Amino acid sequence: ESLESDVTSIITARNGYIYYVKDSAIYRRSLTDTTEKEVKLSGELKIKTDFFDIDEDFFYFFAEDTTKSTKTSLYRVELKSSSKTPEKMA
């Protein structure tokens, strides 16, 4: 199995998944289930930095936020959730 050629960077591999950046978005793909499609974790948000964090339950990242003067906010995605919808943290 190989990743698409337009993958910008690989973030990490953890708990049977590989996490990567493609087209200013964050994706994950199963390393054990080849029938599972890639999942976009950043939703419609445009990521802003190369700083990410992951634990057993959440993936954290910074993305563009047009509602703030700093234009960047911290978001997280619950990895065990079926919807994988980003939630604004700060």
Side-chain angles (χ1 to χ4, degrees):
E1 191 76 24
S2 62
L3 294 175
E4 294 82 6
S5 61
D6 56 348
V7 170
T8 307
S9 63
I10 295 174
I11 299 169
T12 191
R14 186 177 179 119
N15 296 334
Y17 290 93
I18 189 163
Y19 295 82
Y20 55 94
V21 175
K22 178 176 83 169
D23 300 324
S24 296
I26 301 166
Y27 292 85
R28 89 171 184 173
R29 188 171 193 174
S30 176
L31 294 171
T32 58
D33 184 354
T34 58
T35 62
E36 187 177 315
K37 303 288 184 196
E38 70 180 6
V39 175
K40 189 175 186 180
L41 298 179
S42 55
E44 298 303 314
L45 299 168
K46 182 177 179 182
I47 62 171
K48 292 294 285 181
T49 69
D50 291 333
F51 300 108
F52 311 100
D53 196 15
I54 188 171
D55 62 24
E56 295 302 316
D57 299 316
F58 294 96
F59 187 93
Y60 301 89
F61 62 96
F62 290 96
E64 187 174 279
D65 184 351
T66 57
T67 65
K68 289 177 62 175
S69 61
T70 59
K71 303 287 187 199
T72 302
S73 287
L74 176 64
Y75 293 84
R76 74 178 184 180
V77 174
E78 186 175 358
L79 297 173
K80 294 178 182 174
S81 169
S82 60
S83 68
K84 307 291 187 284
T85 303
E87 172 187 7
K88 186 167 73 164
M89 300 297 300

